[in-house]
Structures are given as structure tokens and as C-alpha cells.
Amino acid sequence: MKECLFCKIAAGEIPATKVYEDEQFVVFRDINPQAPTHVLIIPRRHIEKLTDLTESESGLIGQMQLLANKIAEQEGITSGGFRTVFNCGEGAGQSVWHIHMHLLGGRPMTWPPG
Ligand code: DGP
């Protein structure tokens, strides 16, 4: 998607601190981190929001979580606990219209989130 910020980051057209990338996914540090580790896991494929996922894409979220587990290990935040979050829709705080999983850790997490 030409005008999508995260598509541009995935393509390397806009700089970001990438911590992982492969053919399907890119992981980079959030520009406004809410925890010592705060990265965003995105599929390269442009999908606006969770509710746009189709049956054939249902495996994508599982793959993203497995990748989050791997990055959490890499970041050393597994034993302390971490959180993965999707915001879906404006009311939930989604501000970038390309699905992304937040991975946060490195500090105690409270509940409920704001
Ligand atoms: P959300 O509110 O769930 O749509 O999360 C969007 C996140 O994207 C937010 O935590 C800030 C982050 N973000 C926005 N613009 C940029 C950017 O240009 N670079 C990086 N690295 N992160 C960004």
C-alpha cells in the first residue's frame, strides 16, 4: 500500500530500528515506547485491521505470537513477563492502519490497561 507508514517501514523507505525481518514479517522498535522493550510486529502484507482478516489468513496471528515469543527471548524479557496487544479500531486506540502486534516488557505491567 503506497501511502501506508508501516508498509514504507517494511520496505525500508522510512527508517526504523528493526530488530528482526524475514519474507513475511518485520519487527521494529516503537517510536514512542511504553516500556523498556516495546516493539511492533507487522506482516509485510497490508491488512488494515484485525476485523479485515480472512479465513485464509487465520494462521497469521499465531505466527505473529510465535515470533513475539522469539523476540521476547532475544530481548531478555521472557522471565519477567511480557504483554502482546493488538488495538483494533479507533476506539481501542489504533492509530496506524496496518495490523501490528505490540510486544511490551521489561517492567511490571498493570491491569486494566488504559
Ligand atoms: P496503535 O496506536 O496500536 O495503532 O500503535 C501504533 C504505534 O506505532 C504507536 O505505539 C506508535 C508507533 N509509531 C507511529 N509512527 C511510527 C513511526 O514512524 N515509527 C515507529 N517506529 N513507530 C511508529
Side-chain angles (χ1 to χ4, degrees), residues 29-50:
R29 298 203 186 278
D30 195 289
I31 204 166
N32 183 22
Q34 301 300 310
T37 290
H38 185 178
V39 299
L40 303 172
I41 297 160
I42 66 165
R44 288 188 187 274
R45 189 179 332 146
H46 182 82
I47 302 168
E48 272 196 14
K49 53 189 185 300
L50 284 179

Side-chain angles (χ1 to χ4, degrees), residues 20-111:
Y20 178 90
E21 62 184 316
D22 63 23
E23 277 180 12
Q24 249 193 303
F25 300 106
V26 180
V27 185
F28 54 94
R29 298 203 186 278
D30 195 289
I31 204 166
N32 183 22
Q34 301 300 310
T37 290
H38 185 178
V39 299
L40 303 172
I41 297 160
I42 66 165
R44 288 188 187 274
R45 189 179 332 146
H46 182 82
I47 302 168
E48 272 196 14
K49 53 189 185 300
L50 284 179
T51 46
D52 291 334
L53 282 168
T54 62
E55 285 285 334
S56 66
E57 291 164 333
S58 62
L60 196 73
I61 303 301
Q63 285 179 283
M64 289 170 83
Q65 184 60 57
L66 289 176
L67 182 50
N69 294 351
K70 189 165 146 179
I71 303 295
E73 274 296 320
Q74 197 174 295
E75 294 281 318
I77 58 170
T78 305
S79 62
F82 60 83
R83 181 172 289 168
T84 53
V85 183
F86 282 97
N87 295 323
C88 180
E90 242 169 307
Q94 184 173 1
S95 60
V96 178
W97 302 94
H98 179 130
I99 60 169
H100 47 282
M101 175 187 272
H102 294 257
L103 167 65
L104 302 118
R107 65 163 170 84
M109 297 286 161
T110 57
W111 194 262

